[in-house]
CSV table of all heavy atoms in Angstrom, one decimal:
chain,number,residue,atom,x,y,z
Q,93,VAL,N,0.9,-1.2,0.0
Q,93,VAL,CA,0.0,0.0,0.0
Q,93,VAL,C,0.9,1.3,0.0
Q,93,VAL,O,0.6,2.2,-0.7
Q,93,VAL,CB,-1.0,0.0,1.2
Q,93,VAL,CG1,-1.6,1.4,1.3
Q,93,VAL,CG2,-2.0,-1.1,1.0
Q,94,LEU,N,2.0,1.2,0.9
Q,94,LEU,CA,2.9,2.4,0.9
Q,94,LEU,C,3.5,2.7,-0.4
Q,94,LEU,O,3.8,3.8,-0.8
Q,94,LEU,CB,3.9,2.2,1.9
Q,94,LEU,CG,3.4,2.0,3.4
Q,94,LEU,CD1,4.6,1.9,4.4
Q,94,LEU,CD2,2.6,3.4,3.9
Q,95,GLN,N,3.8,1.7,-1.2
Q,95,GLN,CA,4.6,1.8,-2.5
Q,95,GLN,C,3.6,2.1,-3.6
Q,95,GLN,O,4.0,2.4,-4.8
Q,95,GLN,CB,5.4,0.6,-2.7
Q,95,GLN,CG,6.5,0.6,-1.8
Q,95,GLN,CD,7.1,-0.8,-1.6
Q,95,GLN,OE1,6.9,-1.7,-2.4
Q,95,GLN,NE2,8.1,-1.0,-0.7
Q,96,GLU,N,2.2,1.9,-3.4
Q,96,GLU,CA,1.3,2.1,-4.5
Q,96,GLU,C,1.3,3.6,-4.8
Q,96,GLU,O,1.0,4.4,-4.0
Q,96,GLU,CB,-0.1,1.6,-4.0
Q,96,GLU,CG,-1.2,1.6,-5.1
Q,96,GLU,CD,-1.1,0.5,-6.0
Q,96,GLU,OE1,-0.1,-0.4,-5.9
Q,96,GLU,OE2,-1.8,0.4,-7.0
Q,97,PRO,N,1.4,3.8,-6.1
Q,97,PRO,CA,1.3,5.3,-6.5
Q,97,PRO,C,-0.1,5.9,-6.5
Q,97,PRO,O,-1.1,5.1,-6.4
Q,97,PRO,CB,1.8,5.3,-8.0
Q,97,PRO,CG,1.5,4.0,-8.5
Q,97,PRO,CD,1.6,3.1,-7.3
Q,98,GLY,N,-0.4,7.0,-6.4
Q,98,GLY,CA,-1.6,7.7,-6.3
Q,98,GLY,C,-2.2,7.9,-4.9
Q,98,GLY,O,-1.5,7.6,-3.9
Q,99,GLU,N,-3.4,8.4,-4.8
Q,99,GLU,CA,-4.0,8.7,-3.5
Q,99,GLU,C,-4.2,7.4,-2.6
Q,99,GLU,O,-3.8,7.5,-1.5
Q,99,GLU,CB,-5.3,9.4,-3.8
Q,99,GLU,CG,-5.1,10.9,-4.3
Q,99,GLU,CD,-4.2,11.7,-3.5
Q,99,GLU,OE1,-4.5,11.8,-2.3
Q,99,GLU,OE2,-3.3,12.2,-4.0
Q,100,GLY,N,-4.9,6.5,-3.1
Q,100,GLY,CA,-5.1,5.3,-2.3
Q,100,GLY,C,-5.7,5.6,-1.0
Q,100,GLY,O,-5.4,5.1,0.1
Q,101,ALA,N,-6.9,6.4,-1.0
Q,101,ALA,CA,-7.5,7.0,0.2
Q,101,ALA,C,-8.1,5.8,1.1
Q,101,ALA,O,-7.9,5.8,2.3
Q,101,ALA,CB,-8.7,7.9,-0.2
Q,102,GLU,N,-8.8,4.8,0.4
Q,102,GLU,CA,-9.4,3.8,1.3
Q,102,GLU,C,-8.3,2.8,1.8
Q,102,GLU,O,-8.4,2.4,3.0
Q,102,GLU,CB,-10.4,2.9,0.3
Q,102,GLU,CG,-11.6,3.6,-0.1
Q,102,GLU,CD,-12.4,4.2,1.2
Q,102,GLU,OE1,-12.4,3.6,2.2
Q,102,GLU,OE2,-13.1,5.1,0.9
Q,103,GLN,N,-7.3,2.6,1.1
Q,103,GLN,CA,-6.2,1.8,1.6
Q,103,GLN,C,-5.5,2.5,2.8
Q,103,GLN,O,-5.1,1.9,3.8
Q,103,GLN,CB,-5.1,1.5,0.5
Q,103,GLN,CG,-5.6,0.6,-0.6
Q,103,GLN,CD,-6.4,1.3,-1.6
Q,103,GLN,OE1,-6.7,2.5,-1.6
Q,103,GLN,NE2,-6.9,0.5,-2.6
Q,104,THR,N,-5.3,3.7,2.6
Q,104,THR,CA,-4.7,4.6,3.8
Q,104,THR,C,-5.6,4.6,5.0
Q,104,THR,O,-5.1,4.4,6.1
Q,104,THR,CB,-4.4,6.0,3.3
Q,104,THR,OG1,-3.6,6.0,2.2
Q,104,THR,CG2,-3.7,6.8,4.5
Q,105,LYS,N,-6.9,4.8,4.9
Q,105,LYS,CA,-7.8,4.7,5.9
Q,105,LYS,C,-7.7,3.3,6.6
Q,105,LYS,O,-7.8,3.1,7.8
Q,105,LYS,CB,-9.2,4.9,5.5
Q,105,LYS,CG,-9.6,6.4,5.2
Q,105,LYS,CD,-11.0,6.6,4.7
Q,105,LYS,CE,-11.2,7.8,4.0
Q,105,LYS,NZ,-12.5,7.9,3.3
Q,106,LEU,N,-7.7,2.3,5.7
Q,106,LEU,CA,-7.6,0.8,6.4
Q,106,LEU,C,-6.4,0.7,7.1
Q,106,LEU,O,-6.5,0.2,8.3
Q,106,LEU,CB,-7.7,-0.1,5.2
Q,106,LEU,CG,-7.5,-1.6,5.6
Q,106,LEU,CD1,-8.7,-2.0,6.5
Q,106,LEU,CD2,-7.4,-2.5,4.4
Q,107,ILE,N,-5.2,1.1,6.7
Q,107,ILE,CA,-4.0,1.0,7.5
Q,107,ILE,C,-4.1,1.7,8.8
Q,107,ILE,O,-3.7,1.3,9.9
Q,107,ILE,CB,-2.8,1.4,6.7
Q,107,ILE,CG1,-2.5,0.4,5.5
Q,107,ILE,CG2,-1.5,1.5,7.6
Q,107,ILE,CD1,-1.3,0.9,4.7
Q,108,CYS,N,-4.7,3.0,8.7
Q,108,CYS,CA,-4.9,3.8,9.9
Q,108,CYS,C,-5.8,3.1,11.0
Q,108,CYS,O,-5.5,3.1,12.1
Q,108,CYS,CB,-5.5,5.2,9.6
Q,108,CYS,SG,-4.3,6.3,8.7
Q,109,GLU,N,-6.7,2.5,10.5
Q,109,GLU,CA,-7.7,1.8,11.4
Q,109,GLU,C,-7.0,0.6,12.0
Q,109,GLU,O,-7.2,0.3,13.3
Q,109,GLU,CB,-8.9,1.3,10.6
Q,109,GLU,CG,-10.0,0.6,11.6
Q,109,GLU,CD,-11.3,0.5,10.9
Q,109,GLU,OE1,-11.5,0.9,9.7
Q,109,GLU,OE2,-12.2,-0.2,11.6
Q,110,LEU,N,-6.2,-0.2,11.2
Q,110,LEU,CA,-5.5,-1.3,11.7
Q,110,LEU,C,-4.5,-0.8,12.8
Q,110,LEU,O,-4.4,-1.4,13.9
Q,110,LEU,CB,-4.8,-2.1,10.5
Q,110,LEU,CG,-5.7,-2.8,9.7
Q,110,LEU,CD1,-4.9,-3.4,8.5
Q,110,LEU,CD2,-6.4,-4.0,10.4
Q,111,VAL,N,-3.8,0.2,12.6
Q,111,VAL,CA,-2.8,0.8,13.4
Q,111,VAL,C,-3.5,1.2,14.8
Q,111,VAL,O,-2.9,0.9,15.9
Q,111,VAL,CB,-2.0,2.0,12.8
Q,111,VAL,CG1,-1.2,2.7,13.9
Q,111,VAL,CG2,-1.1,1.4,11.7
Q,112,GLU,N,-4.5,1.9,14.6
Q,112,GLU,CA,-5.2,2.5,15.8
Q,112,GLU,C,-5.8,1.5,16.7
Q,112,GLU,O,-5.8,1.7,17.9
Q,112,GLU,CB,-6.3,3.5,15.3
Q,112,GLU,CG,-5.7,4.8,14.7
Q,112,GLU,CD,-6.7,5.7,14.0
Q,112,GLU,OE1,-7.9,5.2,13.8
Q,112,GLU,OE2,-6.4,6.7,13.5
Q,113,GLU,N,-6.3,0.4,16.1
Q,113,GLU,CA,-7.1,-0.6,16.9
Q,113,GLU,C,-6.8,-2.0,17.0
Q,113,GLU,O,-7.1,-2.6,17.9
Q,113,GLU,CB,-8.6,-0.5,16.3
Q,113,GLU,CG,-9.2,0.9,16.4
Q,113,GLU,CD,-10.6,0.9,15.9
Q,113,GLU,OE1,-11.3,-0.2,16.2
Q,113,GLU,OE2,-11.1,2.0,15.4
Q,114,PHE,N,-5.8,-2.4,16.1
Q,114,PHE,CA,-5.7,-3.8,16.0
Q,114,PHE,C,-4.2,-4.3,16.0
Q,114,PHE,O,-4.0,-5.5,16.5
Q,114,PHE,CB,-6.4,-4.4,14.8
Q,114,PHE,CG,-7.8,-4.2,14.6
Q,114,PHE,CD1,-8.3,-3.3,13.7
Q,114,PHE,CD2,-8.6,-4.9,15.5
Q,114,PHE,CE1,-9.7,-3.0,13.7
Q,114,PHE,CE2,-10.1,-4.6,15.3
Q,114,PHE,CZ,-10.6,-3.7,14.5
Q,115,LEU,N,-3.4,-3.5,15.7
Q,115,LEU,CA,-1.9,-4.1,15.6
Q,115,LEU,C,-1.3,-3.9,17.0
Q,115,LEU,O,-1.5,-3.1,17.7
Q,115,LEU,CB,-1.2,-3.2,14.6
Q,115,LEU,CG,-1.4,-3.4,13.2
Q,115,LEU,CD1,-0.6,-2.6,12.2
Q,115,LEU,CD2,-1.4,-4.8,12.7
Q,116,GLU,N,-0.4,-5.0,17.2
Q,116,GLU,CA,0.4,-5.0,18.4
Q,116,GLU,C,1.4,-3.9,18.4
Q,116,GLU,O,1.9,-3.5,17.3
Q,116,GLU,CB,1.1,-6.4,18.6
Q,116,GLU,CG,0.1,-7.6,18.8
Q,116,GLU,CD,-0.6,-7.6,20.0
Q,116,GLU,OE1,0.0,-7.2,21.1
Q,116,GLU,OE2,-1.8,-7.8,20.0
Q,117,PRO,N,2.0,-3.5,19.5
Q,117,PRO,CA,2.9,-2.5,19.5
Q,117,PRO,C,4.2,-2.6,18.6
Q,117,PRO,O,4.7,-1.7,17.9
Q,117,PRO,CB,3.5,-2.4,21.0
Q,117,PRO,CG,2.2,-2.8,21.8
Q,117,PRO,CD,1.5,-3.8,21.0
Q,118,HIS,N,4.7,-3.9,18.6
Q,118,HIS,CA,5.9,-4.2,17.7
Q,118,HIS,C,5.5,-4.0,16.2
Q,118,HIS,O,6.3,-3.7,15.5
Q,118,HIS,CB,6.5,-5.5,18.0
Q,118,HIS,CG,5.5,-6.7,17.7
Q,118,HIS,ND1,5.6,-7.3,16.5
Q,118,HIS,CD2,4.6,-7.4,18.4
Q,118,HIS,CE1,4.7,-8.3,16.4
Q,118,HIS,NE2,4.1,-8.3,17.6
Q,119,SER,N,4.2,-4.4,15.9
Q,119,SER,CA,3.8,-4.1,14.5
Q,119,SER,C,3.5,-2.7,14.1
Q,119,SER,O,3.8,-2.2,13.1
Q,119,SER,CB,2.5,-4.9,14.2
Q,119,SER,OG,2.8,-6.4,14.4
Q,120,VAL,N,3.2,-1.9,15.2
Q,120,VAL,CA,3.0,-0.5,14.9
Q,120,VAL,C,4.4,0.1,14.6
Q,120,VAL,O,4.5,1.0,13.8
Q,120,VAL,CB,2.4,0.2,16.2
Q,120,VAL,CG1,2.4,1.7,16.0
Q,120,VAL,CG2,0.9,-0.3,16.3
Q,121,GLN,N,5.4,-0.3,15.4
Q,121,GLN,CA,6.8,0.2,15.0
Q,121,GLN,C,7.3,-0.3,13.7
Q,121,GLN,O,7.9,0.5,13.0
Q,121,GLN,CB,7.7,-0.5,16.1
Q,121,GLN,CG,7.6,0.3,17.6
Q,121,GLN,CD,8.5,-0.4,18.6
Q,121,GLN,OE1,9.5,-1.0,18.2
Q,121,GLN,NE2,8.1,-0.3,19.8
Q,122,LEU,N,6.9,-1.4,13.3
Q,122,LEU,CA,7.2,-1.9,11.9
Q,122,LEU,C,6.5,-1.1,10.9
Q,122,LEU,O,7.2,-0.7,9.9
Q,122,LEU,CB,6.8,-3.4,11.8
Q,122,LEU,CG,6.9,-4.0,10.4
Q,122,LEU,CD1,8.4,-4.0,9.9
Q,122,LEU,CD2,6.4,-5.4,10.3
Q,123,VAL,N,5.2,-0.8,11.0
Q,123,VAL,CA,4.5,0.2,10.1
Q,123,VAL,C,5.2,1.5,10.1
Q,123,VAL,O,5.6,2.1,9.0
Q,123,VAL,CB,3.0,0.4,10.5
Q,123,VAL,CG1,2.5,1.5,9.8
Q,123,VAL,CG2,2.3,-0.9,10.4
Q,124,LEU,N,5.7,2.1,11.3
Q,124,LEU,CA,6.4,3.3,11.2
Q,124,LEU,C,7.7,3.2,10.4
Q,124,LEU,O,8.0,4.1,9.7
Q,124,LEU,CB,6.7,3.9,12.7
Q,124,LEU,CG,7.5,5.1,12.9
Q,124,LEU,CD1,6.9,6.2,12.2
Q,124,LEU,CD2,7.7,5.3,14.4
Q,125,SER,N,8.4,2.2,10.7
Q,125,SER,CA,9.7,2.1,10.0
Q,125,SER,C,9.5,1.9,8.4
Q,125,SER,O,10.2,2.5,7.6
Q,125,SER,CB,10.6,0.9,10.5
Q,125,SER,OG,10.0,-0.3,10.2
Q,126,GLN,N,8.4,1.2,8.1
Q,126,GLN,CA,8.1,1.1,6.7
Q,126,GLN,C,7.7,2.5,6.0
Q,126,GLN,O,8.1,2.8,4.9
Q,126,GLN,CB,6.9,0.1,6.4
Q,126,GLN,CG,7.3,-1.3,6.7
Q,126,GLN,CD,6.1,-2.3,6.6
Q,126,GLN,OE1,5.1,-2.2,7.3
Q,126,GLN,NE2,6.2,-3.3,5.6
Q,127,VAL,N,7.0,3.3,6.8
Q,127,VAL,CA,6.6,4.6,6.2
Q,127,VAL,C,7.9,5.4,6.1
Q,127,VAL,O,8.0,6.2,5.1
Q,127,VAL,CB,5.5,5.3,7.2
Q,127,VAL,CG1,5.4,6.7,6.8
Q,127,VAL,CG2,4.3,4.6,7.2
Q,128,LEU,N,8.8,5.3,6.9
Q,128,LEU,CA,10.0,6.2,6.9
Q,128,LEU,C,10.9,5.7,5.9
Q,128,LEU,O,12.0,6.4,5.6
Q,128,LEU,CB,10.6,6.2,8.3
Q,128,LEU,CG,9.9,6.9,9.4
Q,128,LEU,CD1,10.6,6.7,10.8
Q,128,LEU,CD2,9.6,8.3,9.0
Q,129,GLU,N,10.7,4.6,5.3
Q,129,GLU,CA,11.6,4.0,4.2
Q,129,GLU,C,11.2,4.5,2.8
Q,129,GLU,O,12.0,4.4,1.9
Q,129,GLU,CB,11.5,2.5,4.2
Q,129,GLU,CG,12.3,1.8,5.3
Q,129,GLU,CD,12.1,0.3,5.3
Q,129,GLU,OE1,11.5,-0.2,4.4
Q,129,GLU,OE2,12.5,-0.3,6.4
Q,130,VAL,N,10.1,5.1,2.7
Q,130,VAL,CA,9.6,5.6,1.4
Q,130,VAL,C,9.4,7.1,1.4
Q,130,VAL,O,9.4,7.7,2.5
Q,130,VAL,CB,8.1,5.0,1.1
Q,130,VAL,CG1,8.2,3.5,0.9
Q,130,VAL,CG2,7.1,5.4,2.0
Q,131,PRO,N,9.5,7.7,0.3
Q,131,PRO,CA,9.3,9.3,0.3
Q,131,PRO,C,8.0,9.7,1.0
Q,131,PRO,O,7.0,9.1,0.7
Q,131,PRO,CB,9.4,9.6,-1.2
Q,131,PRO,CG,10.0,8.5,-1.9
Q,131,PRO,CD,9.7,7.3,-1.0
Q,132,LEU,N,8.1,10.6,1.8
Q,132,LEU,CA,6.9,11.1,2.6
Q,132,LEU,C,6.0,11.9,1.6
Q,132,LEU,O,6.4,12.5,0.8
Q,132,LEU,CB,7.3,12.0,3.7
Q,132,LEU,CG,6.4,12.2,4.9
Q,132,LEU,CD1,6.1,10.8,5.5
Q,132,LEU,CD2,7.0,13.1,5.9
Q,133,SER,N,4.7,11.5,1.7
Q,133,SER,CA,3.7,12.2,0.9
Q,133,SER,C,2.5,12.5,1.8
Q,133,SER,O,2.4,12.0,2.8
Q,133,SER,CB,3.3,11.3,-0.3
Q,133,SER,OG,2.6,10.2,0.2
Q,134,GLU,N,1.6,13.3,1.3
Q,134,GLU,CA,0.4,13.7,1.9
Q,134,GLU,C,-0.4,12.5,2.3
Q,134,GLU,O,-1.2,12.4,3.3
Q,134,GLU,CB,-0.5,14.7,1.1
Q,134,GLU,CG,-1.5,15.4,1.7
Q,134,GLU,CD,-1.0,16.5,2.7
Q,134,GLU,OE1,0.0,17.2,2.4
Q,134,GLU,OE2,-1.7,16.8,3.7
Q,135,LYS,N,-0.4,11.4,1.4
Q,135,LYS,CA,-1.1,10.3,1.6
Q,135,LYS,C,-0.7,9.5,2.9
Q,135,LYS,O,-1.4,8.8,3.6
Q,135,LYS,CB,-1.0,9.2,0.4
Q,135,LYS,CG,-1.3,7.8,0.6
Q,135,LYS,CD,-1.1,7.2,-0.7
Q,135,LYS,CE,-0.5,5.8,-0.5
Q,135,LYS,NZ,-0.3,5.0,-1.6
Q,136,LEU,N,0.6,9.6,3.3
Q,136,LEU,CA,1.2,8.9,4.4
Q,136,LEU,C,1.2,9.6,5.6
Q,136,LEU,O,1.2,9.1,6.7
Q,136,LEU,CB,2.7,8.5,4.1
Q,136,LEU,CG,3.0,7.7,2.9
Q,136,LEU,CD1,4.4,7.4,2.7
Q,136,LEU,CD2,2.2,6.4,2.9
Q,137,LEU,N,0.7,10.9,5.6
Q,137,LEU,CA,0.7,11.7,6.9
Q,137,LEU,C,-0.3,11.1,7.9
Q,137,LEU,O,0.0,11.0,9.1
Q,137,LEU,CB,0.5,13.2,6.6
Q,137,LEU,CG,1.5,13.9,5.8
Q,137,LEU,CD1,1.2,15.3,5.6
Q,137,LEU,CD2,2.9,13.7,6.6
Q,138,PRO,N,-1.5,10.7,7.4
Q,138,PRO,CA,-2.5,10.1,8.3
Q,138,PRO,C,-2.1,8.8,9.0
Q,138,PRO,O,-2.3,8.5,10.2
Q,138,PRO,CB,-3.8,9.8,7.5
Q,138,PRO,CG,-3.6,10.8,6.3
Q,138,PRO,CD,-2.1,10.9,6.1
């Protein structure tokens, strides 16, 4: 999802929901490290 070009609004919302409510702390850290590996965009800020 992070590497997918374009807006990907629904995909971004889904990742946000998983991060906020379902992922374990170590997986939240993994998501953060994955976001920091790609160029930052408006899509990734949420």
Side-chain angles (χ1 to χ4, degrees):
V93 169
L94 295 179
Q95 290 159 11
E96 187 74 6
E99 289 304 304
E102 291 305 328
Q103 290 78 3
T104 303
K105 283 182 201 168
L106 175 62
I107 291 179
C108 289
E109 188 171 348
L110 291 171
V111 166
E112 288 165 356
E113 298 183 35
F114 300 105
L115 293 181
E116 296 293 320
H118 65 92
S119 296
V120 172
Q121 291 178 20
L122 175 58
V123 170
L124 176 57
S125 65
Q126 287 178 298
V127 170
L128 296 176
E129 286 170 9
V130 297
L132 203 55
S133 66
E134 196 72 35
K135 165 182 142 177
L136 299 180
L137 296 180

